[in-house]
Amino acid sequence: MKGKVGIIANPASGKDIRRLVAFGSVFDNEEKVSIVRRILLGLEAADVEEIIIMPDTYGIGERALEGLGKRRLKPQVELLEMEIGHGGADSTLAAQKMQAISVAAIVVLGGDGTCRAVAKGCGEVPLVPVSTGTNNVFPEMIEGTIAGLAAGIVAVTGAGMLRRAKKLDIYGPEGWRDLALVDVVVTKETFIASRALWDMDRIESIIVTRGEPDTIGLSAVAGCLSPVAPQEAAGLYLELNHEKPTVTVLAPVAPGLFSPVPVGTWQRLTLNEQIVLGASGNPRLLALDGEREVLVRAGEEARIVLSAEGPFVVDIAGTLRRAQSQGFFTR
Amino acid sequence: MEKEKLVDLYRQMVRVRQFETKVSELFAQGKIPGFVHLYIGEEATAVGACANLRPDDYITSTHRGHGHCLAKGGDMKLMMAELFGKKTGYCKGKGGSMHIADMDVGILGANGIVGGGLGIAPGAGLSAKLRGTDQVTACFFGDGASNQTTFHEGINIASIWRLPVIFICENNQYGISLHQSKHQRVADVADRAVAYGIPGVVVDGNDVMAVYEAVGEAVKRARAGEGPTLIEAKTYRWHGHFEGDPTVYRSEKELAEWKERCPILRFGKHLVEMGVATEQELDTIKAEVDNEVEEAVRFAEESPLPVPEEALEDIYA
């Protein structure tokens, strides 16, 4: 037995207003419990020595263990010591603590928002992001058993296949403010409120690290116009023009929701290139990975910089293939 | 949203807060008989929800109903008089806090029975549907009520008949003195929507705009004949279950954390930050509401008590 793996499962993901304004599925917490249970079994199968789980208000980790009945897991399983109940900040803090105790990988259950919160705290610890919902780009729709197995192989063999994700760093006058893993959308909204974005009339521009025709959300606008692959050293910046669009893009901006998006101009971004949002008479809200998050006050300037230094992500298929070729599954 | 409407959301929350604060004072002074359950801390939910409703839409309320009634357009003077047990009150002084109703503005009643409104709201929805109107019903209830059979029966029938009802669970963390984690295994009441084949959404119940947006979308669905929605607003009551409750079941730290998320302070700060209103304008609103509350108290104090001869009048059952 060898290695240590962290699990961060967000009890709040999969329940926002997109169940009303689009056709997002309700992802209940018992399903997350069930996925974590299978992740634990995947980690055990890989012969991981220790598993650390972020505590949460629902008790996803405890319930996952409880559901195993009398079956006792071989790895030592512990809840991370931390105070909880602070929303997304819990995930960031948990990631920081897991990094500090040198976990080899973190399995993340949630959507783009949860991955973003974890990315703010995980440093260079690789992530195995598992999607819990229907509106995600960054995490994969992958069976928990396989996600656990891949994370376990990374921890046990130290030979996982990793790729580094891109990110967008947001700077205000005071310095760094936040980051996004997939997209930053500049909106005319004035309230964070229910966080989601669905009204294209309220959007001014979109900046993406990635976007392909088979993705969903605002980055799909890039994907349906001028795709950018996750591995490409590039991004895309699109300015919408609601009066005189150069092109109208039909994109799946949310689950089951297609919107014609009027695009005026678009340009590819190179790494480290920045988009400057000049000071405006009106405040603007930036949506990060689909959620209204950062306020740019009237008269304030903001910069958004494309960076190659996002979190490391485990290539699940590649890691499992390599493990297979090295005889990991045969005795 | 227009400035006028944003500022009105703020004013409505302040009206609920100041009304309840005054009721708390008067109850402690022994001027209000019976029981009162106060809504302080939860203002954003009632106000954000009711801001989407028309005067001819309906609400069903709870034992903690003052906020709902004010937000839906109830008359503050008649409410205060009712709390005082005066003849000029909504129920001629015979109902008290938990029976305030006003059919003229669609308030189908506060309710002393936990989960009582959940049985009434589908009826109101069916009525609107049979009459062919596009009226909707907002049904307020708490996390504790979501364990009552009326919750399951009400949502079930509303989902089968696609009734125009918005079920709004005010999850204030406690069913009387029992923390939610001890009275139900789910953490999100909205998860239960899945069982009835309707959308379920969780919102920050201390963010008036978040509630406004979510309920607004649910109202659109309901008016369009697309059926009911379950919205869970996470919030917290600052006072006890009832006035006089020593609240030994919760910590000061927990209360302090929720007070930091005060819906009125948060919204007011944002209005100023966004240049929608000035501090001075907000102070003026508070002063105007203070006067309105004082006037309601004066009206209640100066009103007559019902006479014994009227004791058996207005009895229906």
Side-chain angles (χ1 to χ4, degrees):
Chain A
M1 293 178 85
K2 199 179 162 191
K4 201 186 295 181
V5 171
I7 299 175
I8 296 177
N10 177 6
S13 69
K15 299 167 197 236
D16 70 23
I17 198 172
R18 280 171 281 208
R19 278 85 213 146
L20 287 180
V21 297
F23 295 89
S25 56
V26 178
F27 208 97
D28 72 77
N29 285 338
E30 279 305 316
E31 185 55 30
K32 293 172 195 167
V33 168
S34 177
I35 293 172
V36 167
R37 196 172 292 138
R38 300 197 295 272
I39 289 169
L40 290 170
L41 293 167
L43 290 167
E44 181 186 50
D47 213 18
V48 165
E49 187 172 13
E50 196 178 345
I51 302 166
I52 316 289
I53 306 177
M54 176 183 84
D56 70 83
T57 48
Y58 187 65
I60 292 175
E62 296 98 311
R63 290 176 193 230
L65 289 168
E66 186 187 304
L68 289 170
K70 289 181 180 165
R71 190 187 186 294
R72 196 178 158 78
L73 282 178
K74 280 183 272 173
Q76 184 186 336
V77 184
E78 281 178 14
L79 289 180
L80 193 61
E81 274 186 35
M82 61 179 278
E83 200 176 303
I84 56 169
H86 304 284
D90 285 355
S91 299
T92 305
L93 178 63
Q96 285 166 345
K97 284 178 172 279
M98 287 178 184
Q99 184 197 8
I101 57 172
S102 303
V103 297
I106 301 174
V107 185
V108 184
L109 252 82
D112 289 335
T114 309
C115 291
R116 187 174 70 84
V118 172
K120 288 198 271 187
C122 68
E124 299 204 342
V125 177
L127 307 180
V128 180
V130 180
S131 176
T132 56
T134 47
N135 199 37
N136 303 313
V137 176
F138 193 82
E140 277 187 59
M141 292 290 267
I142 184 96
E143 163 53 33
T145 318
I146 305 303
L149 182 62
I153 289 170
V154 171
V156 172
T157 67
M161 286 185 65
L162 309 180
R163 61 177 172 78
R164 190 154 203 182
K166 290 171 279 186
K167 64 172 177 169
L168 292 162
D169 283 310
I170 295 99
Y171 296 90
E174 76 288 2
W176 186 88
R177 272 194 190 171
D178 216 319
L179 64 82
L181 297 175
V182 179
D183 52 36
V184 174
V185 177
V186 182
T187 79
K188 293 177 198 161
E189 298 288 354
T190 43
F191 290 90
I192 289 173
S194 56
R195 293 186 172 271
L197 280 182
W198 63 91
D199 184 356
M200 294 305 111
D201 292 342
R202 308 288 296 163
I203 293 176
E204 291 182 355
S205 57
I206 304 169
I207 305 144
V208 304
T209 60
R210 56 192 279 185
E212 295 189 282
D214 63 347
T215 54
I216 195 152
L218 271 303
S219 65
V221 181
C224 294
L225 179 65
S226 177
V228 185
Q231 308 87 334
E232 240 179 299
L236 197 76
Y237 172 56
L238 306 99
E239 276 188 348
L240 274 58
N241 186 329
H242 296 278
E243 281 77 41
K244 288 184 180 172
T246 308
V247 61
T248 299
V249 183
L250 181 68
V253 296
L257 186 67
F258 286 86
S259 280
V261 183
V263 178
T265 60
W266 63 99
Q267 68 178 79
R268 287 182 89 75
L269 300 175
T270 54
L271 291 176
N272 303 317
E273 189 171 349
Q274 64 176 15
I275 297 296
V276 178
L277 298 179
S280 159
N282 296 314
R284 286 162 294 183
L285 259 178
L286 306 186
L288 311 183
D289 297 335
E291 295 185 349
R292 283 173 261 170
E293 193 77 38
V294 171
L295 176 65
V296 181
R297 292 175 180 80
E300 227 175 49
E301 190 179 275
R303 291 181 300 121
I304 297 147
V305 183
L306 178 67
S307 161
E309 295 175 358
F312 285 95
V313 179
V314 175
D315 172 352
I316 295 173
T319 298
L320 294 176
R321 268 197 301 272
R322 179 184 283 176
Q324 184 278 329
S325 68
Q326 293 173 348
F328 188 84
F329 301 112
T330 49
R331 300 287 183 271
Chain B
M1 192 188 278
E2 304 286 319
K3 169 177 175 166
E4 199 181 320
K5 184 146 190 179
L6 288 168
V7 172
D8 191 54
L9 288 176
Y10 182 82
R11 178 187 291 275
Q12 295 308 327
M13 287 199 290
V14 172
R15 288 179 79 233
V16 175
R17 173 70 57 89
Q18 314 276 74
F19 179 87
E20 295 289 64
T21 304
K22 180 55 77 178
V23 169
S24 177
E25 283 170 32
L26 295 167
F27 186 84
Q29 292 164 15
K31 290 187 177 174
I32 290 179
F35 271 110
V36 286
H37 305 78
L38 302 186
Y39 198 67
I40 294 174
E42 303 184 32
E43 297 87 349
T45 301
V47 170
C50 290
N52 289 288
L53 303 180
R54 302 188 312 230
D56 66 334
D57 288 326
Y58 301 115
I59 64 164
T60 63
S61 178
T62 68
H63 56 282
R64 198 176 307 287
H66 305 162
H68 309 139
C69 293
L70 285 169
K72 185 62 175 67
D75 186 313
M76 192 185 282
K77 283 184 182 172
L78 304 193
M79 285 175 65
M80 193 64 91
E82 186 58 38
L83 297 187
F84 272 73
K86 296 296 183 74
K87 193 174 176 174
T88 53
Y90 264 119
C91 308
K92 300 183 185 174
K94 300 178 202 170
S97 167
M98 287 182 271
H99 300 95
I100 292 170
D102 187 339
M103 298 303 288
D104 291 341
V105 290
I107 301 169
L108 300 183
N111 205 310
I113 299 168
V114 171
L118 284 151
I120 297 167
L126 180 62
S127 154
K129 190 167 181 170
L130 292 176
R131 285 181 287 115
T133 74
D134 67 347
Q135 291 162 288
V136 302
T137 302
C139 171
F140 294 99
F141 59 98
D143 47 300
S146 73
N147 297 330
Q148 299 288 337
T149 54
T150 47
F151 169 87
H152 303 283
E153 291 167 9
I155 296 186
N156 188 49
I157 204 75
S159 65
I160 293 166
W161 291 343
R162 297 173 80 82
L163 300 177
V165 181
I166 301 99
F167 293 95
I168 303 170
C169 177
E170 298 173 314
N171 182 348
N172 65 15
Q173 320 294 318
Y174 288 90
I176 307 182
S177 55
L178 206 59
H179 189 265
Q180 189 204 354
S181 60
K182 296 197 171 87
H183 72 65
Q184 55 192 199
R185 188 159 163 92
V186 294
D188 298 313
V189 175
D191 282 358
R192 293 182 167 174
V194 178
Y196 301 100
I198 65 170
V201 169
V202 177
V203 291
D204 179 350
N206 279 20
D207 181 337
V208 69
M209 290 304 292
V211 177
Y212 176 78
E213 283 184 357
V215 175
E217 293 301 321
V219 166
K220 274 189 220 162
R221 287 188 78 241
R223 288 204 206 286
E226 293 169 17
T229 303
L230 173 58
I231 292 173
E232 179 184 5
K234 304 275 193 191
T235 184
Y236 197 82
R237 59 170 155 77
W238 290 9
H239 284 216
H241 172 64
F242 54 86
E243 283 302 278
D245 172 4
T247 67
V248 291
Y249 47 82
R250 68 183 192 189
S251 69
E252 286 298 321
K253 181 170 173 280
E254 180 182 285
L255 175 61
E257 280 173 2
W258 277 93
K259 282 188 171 180
E260 276 176 28
R261 296 161 64 182
C262 170
I264 299 174
L265 283 180
R266 272 169 78 180
F267 190 58
K269 187 174 167 230
H270 196 70
L271 289 181
V272 172
E273 207 169 54
M274 301 299 283
V276 177
T278 62
E279 289 279 6
Q280 202 178 3
E281 282 175 295
L282 301 186
D283 287 343
T284 304
I285 288 171
K286 285 182 211 156
E288 287 169 355
V289 172
D290 268 340
N291 289 338
E292 187 187 3
V293 172
E294 286 307 327
E295 213 173 298
V297 173
R298 198 160 39 246
F299 174 77
E301 284 179 333
E302 290 172 0
S303 290
L305 285 163
V307 293
E309 292 74 33
E310 295 167 1
L312 297 178
E313 286 178 13
D314 307 313
I315 292 173
Y316 299 97

